[in-house]
Amino acid sequence: MAASHLSGGRVNLAILREAARKELLECLDKCDGTKAVVWDEQLTGPFGLIAEYSLLKEHEVDKMFQLRPGRLPVANVNNIIFLCRPKLALMEIVAQNILKEEETGGSRKEFHIFFVPRKSLLCEQKLKELGVYGTFSNVDEYTLDLIPFDSDLLSMEIDSTFRDCYLEDDMTSMYYAAKSLMSVQALYGIIPTVCGKGDCARHVADMMLRMRRELAGTEPQITPQIDCLLLLDRTVDLMTPLPTQLTYEGLIDEIFGINNTSVKLPPEKFASSKQQTGGPQEMPTEPKKLVLNSAEELYAEARDRNFHAIGPLLSRKAKLISAQMKERHGAKTVGEIKQFVSRLPHMQAAKISLANHTTIAEMIKEVTDSDHFMESLTVQQEFLNGIDTDKVNPYIEDCIARKEPIIKILRLVCIQSVANNGMKQKTLDYYKREILQTYGYEHLITLNNLDRAGLLTVQKQRTYPTSRKTLRLMVDDVSEQNPNDISYVFSGYAPLSVRLAQFLARPGWRSIEEVLRILPGPTFEEAQRIPVGLRKKRTSVGGGSESPKVTLVYFLGGVTYAEIAALRFLSQQEDSLSDYIIATTKIINGHTWLEGLMDTLCPAPFPDSSSTSKSKGRR
Amino acid sequence: MAHVTGDWNPLGQVFYRKQEIYSMGWRDIDLDKFVVAAAPYGGPIALIRDETKLVRVQGSIRPVIYIYTSSGREISSIRWNSGHVIHLGWSCSEELLCVQEDGSVLVYDIFGQFKRTFSMGTEAKEMKVRDCRIFNSHQGTGLAVMTSSYRIFMVNNVDEPRIRRMADVPGLDAPPSSWVVISQDRQSRVLLARENDLYLLDHGGQYSRQLAPVSQQVEAYTEMAVSFNNKYLALFTNTGLLWIGSSDLERAYCEFDTKCPQRPKQLAWCGTGAIVGYWENILLMVGPGKDYVKYNVDSTVHLVPELDGLRILSNYSHEFLHKVPSVVECVFKIGSIEPGAMLYEASREFQNGSPKADEYIRMIQDRLQVAVDQCIQAAGCEHEPTTQRMLLRAASFGKCFLSDMNPEPFVRMCRMLRVLNSVRDFTIGIPLSCAQLEQLSMPVLTDRLVLRRQYPLAIRICQYLKMPDAEGVSRILAHWACYKVQQTHVDDELIARSINEKLRDTPGISYSEIAAKAAECGRTELAIRLLEYEPKSAEQVPLLMKMGRDQLALAKAVDSGDTDLVYTVVMHLKEKLTLGDFLMTIRNLPTAQSLYLQYCKEQNREMLQDLYYQEDNFQESANCRVMDSYNETRMDERLRALQQAQESYTKARNEFAAKVTEEQVRLLKYQIRLEEELKRPYLDLSLHDTISQLTTEGNHKLAEQLRKEFKVPDKRFWWLKIQALAEGSDWAELDRFAKSKKSPIGYEPFIDVCLKHQNRYEANKYVGRIADPAKVKAYIKIGNLEQAAETAMQQRSEEDLNLVLSKRLLTCLFVCLLVTWSRRQRQLTCLFVCLLVTWNRRQRQLTCLFVCLLVTWNRRQRQLTCLFVCLLVTWNRRQRQLTCLFVCLLVTWSRQQRQRCSRVVRRI
């Protein structure tokens, strides 16, 4: 995969990828001879964005396996390299693999383990306990923190950040975040201004400043390319991930799920294209995998639009392409024909891309046209507007009664709770009871978790209406086709987090001090001292030609595609004061986010009664 | 001042000069009574009493090793109380190596502090060492010993001693006449003379006998010397013959008959150009061209070979014998007409205000560049600052006449001389020459100053030469601080403060190293105080742990935010402390505690419970029990866990959770009963699912019972029941249930569930019961569009009608014909339908045209319609529909209707 789409932004993120690649190869080259790499499943996706298989192959990686309990598949290689996250559970699997491998004997192999992104003492200890630590020739780490997703998007892809920070008080991922900021600063210079909101944001900023002190003068001398860092804690804006995203990309994520910029789609809809090639018609069984990034021209244009604007866009594109195709009739001279032919590959690609996206759009439309979708959306909008947030909602009741997917219920209930700053004890208990009786008692822990995370709580002081009013979170006259405000991403609701970024750029946070005070966590603005020689030279004061500054918005605890779209929208405005780069610990949507907060309990089977086996299948 | 050439002695074509560099600072030292070991590069001098000479001993009979600087200032002394010292020597990092008879080598620093020791092997220990050589190897400083069995053992690097045994010389049963180590081509070999046979030994066990290089017949080679660079060799025979050649014995330069068969006290190379032999009162210097110079000495001297000359230590003075460098010769040689000499003259005349200066300059006008370079170079070779100054002045004078002179060499030379002069100072006592400094390099020089604790000078040199902080000032300050903390007589507070004052503004100082040093000296308090200044927690924590300051280590680890670091301390504490103490310790730090909890969650559930109990965290404790209950494989265990959870919830005042837990226990018990009675699995179903399953199976009574028991709300129960009934295809019961009383959820769900199970017939039954407004939708759902259209018509609901229309297009045509509206409306509907039906744009246009012709409106309306049609062509379907509706409304209806409908439209 080429990385050209990474270098298109104001700050060239391809450098980051290049650095990560180099480090990976250095790690691999530590082991001489042929290698088999055993992957922690969760890492394959992110690694795919860093290095392609052919590159690994050049460095003598012959085989790749998933990390699974039991025996490793047979491989005739000199080295076996484990690449995994520092998780204790994984260590047991690694140990099992090694012990089994040693049992079978065969040719002598060297074992290596690389922790991503950092070594952990606990894991090493666990390996020692399991008696395999000594067999490793190499126990090292591969620091992969921020992975470039697109020319303006970075993600660490750590799943459990929000949960770890707010349920378990485990700030490890925040430490990683601070480290990742240090590696960004090593490549793009020290960021002069650091602001943020929220406890974790403060924590990360503190650690980052501390790490800079630790570097003590040995930092690289680079003129800062990023002017401002905005750290935003997910707790500051708990609302935004909950409602259904209405941008094209957001909807693809909500419906099909985007993982590491690629989406897996049901193959049936794409069957027709095969038919045309004349092959025997057979239904492809493998899901169709599409890579979604700005390398695809059409997608770059469509991704951040409201879904309502996608139809016209696609039809316009279709006309454009057919017009281009027709030009061949007009081509008279050889030169003209040649010119036409040279454009053909590009046109073909555009055509395929158009066909794909038309299919996707149709699939999405099927969903958005359904009554369930519309009704749920209506309820969401009502809550966001503060209508009837303090009583039991009949639609939610019905959904529970119909036993619709629990996450859908939780999303709606959480929206209600957040919009109302919690619910009356009675209402809350009613909902909880309904959920537990319908979906089972095992969700009690999940509900407790949501309580702790502040998503589903007893009523506190009502501050949400104030934020809504001051930050103009609800916009009535929203235009979905030609948006003039970020609220288009939710057809009326403007994400609070992005509003904060918007206000920071203009007119500054001082103007919204009151709201900042009612939002949770501390607010801060700090300056990092930069050697005089490296400071940006300010062109003549008041000169309009000055390019807008670059702001890195770091979402701690996850970001949604809708928020990304909204920030991109801000960048694209003609009078924008800032270009935005977005970094996050993980790209989320309401579904994945709440899923991460759930504790799924599965009853252990009773050995004495075989009849209970059916209950397992239910889950 | 005497002329510079006053002390020059010709040796063949070149000149040698002997300059006094210091008059020795020591008093009452008679070198004759001591064994002398002086380090090269102007290093320190070690003295130990020569036991072969008789002296009157005062006080202790224990020997003392004295260490002096090159200028004779005493640095330290070591009262020797170990074994018999055979040999003293210095390593390249200026450590004193004391080789004992038993083969052990003791290493001291210049302040007489013991550093380490190593042995030359068991054989050396058993057989005793009788002789020793210290040499420069490619790896550092090497050391070779000869045992009394005449075997030679060698290490190439005293810092990492690896003992190698050299090859045996056959038939060697008496001490060899002489031997020397030659270190060349990354290998150290021994050249050994047994009488007049020469052997070259290497550590691979190989020896080779060398052909005698000497042309005359000799009986023995009694002395040999290798030059500083290991390239040249000098042999002295018992006949007084001195042979000079290359160290591989391939080439001979000359043979010189000294006419003195007596073995010289010392034979040493003066740089690479001459060999100096020392006999009683006489120094004989012999060049490769058989030329010689003789110096008389009035007391015992000691010769120290250097890279570019020879230092001569005597009781009262320290002299440097070296070849006069050619540039110096150019400038100062009497009668020299080299440009440098001219420029020097010119400069002198200029200073005297004489016009002759101009004359001299004119003479060398075209070679002025060379002249300046010569003066600069010559200045570097001079020892005396006044001479240096004059030469530099000459150079700078010459520079004035050059327009494109590169100032760099001049500036560099000035800097270098400044540094050299400052270290040559009597108080410092490092008499380095320019060439030596170049070889030694500046960082090494600063290291040596640090070694001598000359911190201020070292720092000033670094600052003067603008060395980067990391390798210059910071490093030196760190060394200083390390030394400072060893001054045990000074108060902790004072030291910490003074260290911080000095180091505050210097980046890149590792306080942890200093602290480690302090801890080594047993000054824990000071170490801790110093660690406060360390910015890197990763460095602080391990040291604090080592010193047993676990609490502090933990706090620091927490501060750093590095969770792995916290775990390091926590795990360390867990092993070290008793459980109770451990828990109390981490209790004070919430971060540490929550991390430990996290660990316990995965690894040690019991401990987790204990922790929650200790903290009175009933809520979490209960949550934990609930989670554990799901892992129990026995029913009674699970029930007990849940009951415990319930108690904990009650304690946590979470009444809701307590209540639902209690209900869950009840439900489980209920389910057990059900399983026993009905012989079907019910366990672990939710209440909803249990009731649902019971209903599907037709156990309505039990379902009802459960519903009452657990107070399931009416609405949900109805939903649940109709879904379950449909699931079980119990249509009769569904019907009965529908009729039992008025549905709290309406009757649409009935239709929904029927349709879900593809039973349109059943669905039809319930349409009639649906309230009017929703009826049309219901009809549409079951696919009865005619009915839907009719109902819509009856209700006069445009919205619903449109809904119908949108659902089935062809049918609408039919509907349009059916309905009996006004003509105009019919026409409009036609238009609308046509637009909807025909997808292709061209068709749509045609239809429009057709419609426009058909309708007989007034002109304005036609225009309006056309306009709309145009708009319609491009939009999507739903919008099209909406707009059509709009058009209809606008055109035909009353204002009130219009308003109502537009409201509807907006909502959609």
Side-chain angles (χ1 to χ4, degrees), chain B residues 385-521:
Chain B
T386 46
T387 325
Q388 291 166 1
R389 203 173 299 130
M390 272 155 68
L391 283 163
L392 286 173
R393 202 168 283 158
S396 117
F397 177 64
K399 255 165 37 134
C400 303
F401 299 94
L402 285 166
S403 53
D404 53 351
M405 172 83 194
N406 178 12
E408 193 58 34
F410 183 78
V411 175
R412 209 172 334 120
M413 182 56 72
C414 289
R415 285 220 177 107
M416 178 125 131
L417 281 175
R418 177 123 195 235
V419 172
L420 276 177
N421 288 338
S422 62
V423 299
R424 279 173 189 165
D425 188 89
F426 179 79
T427 49
I428 308 293
I430 306 179
L432 278 178
S433 72
C434 205
Q436 286 166 18
L437 178 61
E438 256 161 36
Q439 180 71 27
L440 202 62
S441 85
M442 207 52 99
V444 178
L445 176 64
T446 49
D447 274 350
R448 296 200 159 181
L449 288 171
V450 167
L451 217 62
R452 285 167 173 70
R453 296 179 192 156
Q454 300 290 353
Y455 303 107
L457 180 63
I459 287 177
R460 236 167 287 140
I461 286 176
C462 287
Q463 284 167 342
Y464 180 64
L465 296 177
K466 299 196 173 65
M467 281 193 180
D469 273 354
E471 53 189 270
V473 176
S474 307
R475 205 166 48 99
I476 294 164
L477 281 174
H479 278 291
W480 167 77
C482 282
Y483 164 64
K484 192 84 186 163
V485 296
Q486 292 172 58
Q487 297 178 337
T488 37
H489 56 278
V490 188
D491 184 48
D492 285 351
E493 178 64 45
L494 218 60
I495 290 182
R497 209 182 310 132
S498 72
I499 286 179
N500 185 238
E501 257 167 41
K502 280 245 165 47
L503 272 54
R504 192 183 300 141
D505 301 329
T506 330
I509 295 251
S510 167
Y511 278 97
S512 58
E513 264 176 41
I514 305 167
K517 197 87 192 172
E520 225 172 77
C521 306

Side-chain angles (χ1 to χ4, degrees), chain A residues 88 121 126 168-169 172 175 210 214 403 432-434 437-438 440-441 448 452 604 606-607 611 618, chain B residues 535-537 562-564 594 601 603 623 630 633 656 661 663-664 681 684 686-689 710 713 716:
Chain A
L88 292 176
L121 178 94
K126 184 87 193 173
E168 324 279 6
D169 292 321
T172 311
Y175 182 70
R210 190 190 169 91
E214 288 189 6
K403 209 177 174 195
K432 281 186 175 175
R433 215 178 132 80
E434 289 286 286
Q437 286 199 347
T438 308
Y441 172 75
N448 285 341
R452 281 196 64 188
F606 295 116
S611 57
R618 190 174 54 85
Chain B
K536 288 186 191 162
S537 327
D562 183 349
T563 42
D564 202 41
S594 54
K601 258 181 212 169
Q603 300 288 320
N623 283 348
Y630 277 86
T633 47
F656 172 76
T661 311
E663 275 177 20
Q664 172 69 5
D684 292 319
S686 70
L687 176 65
H688 184 101
D689 292 337
F710 291 99
R716 186 150 58 82

Side-chain angles (χ1 to χ4, degrees), chain A residues 49 123 134 195 230 287 306 328 411 418 437 468 471 532 536 548 594 602:
Chain A
L49 297 173
C123 286
C195 6
L230 171 60
N306 188 293
R328 70 169 176 270
R411 270 177 92 159
V418 175
Q437 286 199 347
R468 180 169 57 223
L471 297 176
V532 183
K536 251 191 190 168
L594 289 184
C602 246

Side-chain angles (χ1 to χ4, degrees), chain B residues 97-142:
Chain B
L97 308 171
C98 309
V99 186
Q100 293 194 136
E101 202 174 33
D102 62 356
S104 57
V105 181
L106 283 74
V107 185
Y108 289 83
D109 73 1
I110 61 169
F111 291 98
Q113 305 274 347
F114 175 75
K115 292 184 86 168
R116 60 180 191 278
T117 176
F118 63 93
S119 160
M120 290 304 289
T122 44
E123 190 172 336
K125 191 172 180 182
E126 282 159 16
M127 301 304 297
K128 302 289 179 209
V129 174
R130 67 178 301 276
D131 202 0
C132 175
R133 294 279 185 278
I134 287 166
F135 58 94
N136 280 322
S137 74
H138 58 279
Q139 288 172 330
T141 304

Side-chain angles (χ1 to χ4, degrees), chain A residues 270-312:
Chain A
F270 292 91
S272 58
S273 61
K274 270 205 173 166
Q275 232 172 309
Q276 281 173 354
T277 56
Q281 195 197 347
E282 52 179 69
M283 277 303 195
T285 44
E286 283 278 298
K288 185 172 172 74
K289 201 171 164 188
L290 278 181
V291 174
L292 301 174
N293 60 35
S294 61
E296 193 180 351
E297 210 179 293
L298 174 64
Y299 187 65
E301 199 174 336
R303 65 199 308 185
D304 299 323
R305 299 200 178 206
N306 188 293
F307 187 67
H308 274 294
I310 291 298

Side-chain angles (χ1 to χ4, degrees), chain A residues 3 83 113 116 119 148 194 217 226 248 253 297 481 503 546 592:
Chain A
L83 272 168
I113 188 163
V116 183
K119 265 203 277 197
V194 180
I226 302 169
Y248 183 46
D253 190 31
E297 210 179 293
Q481 305 285 343
F503 271 97
E546 208 173 307
T592 55

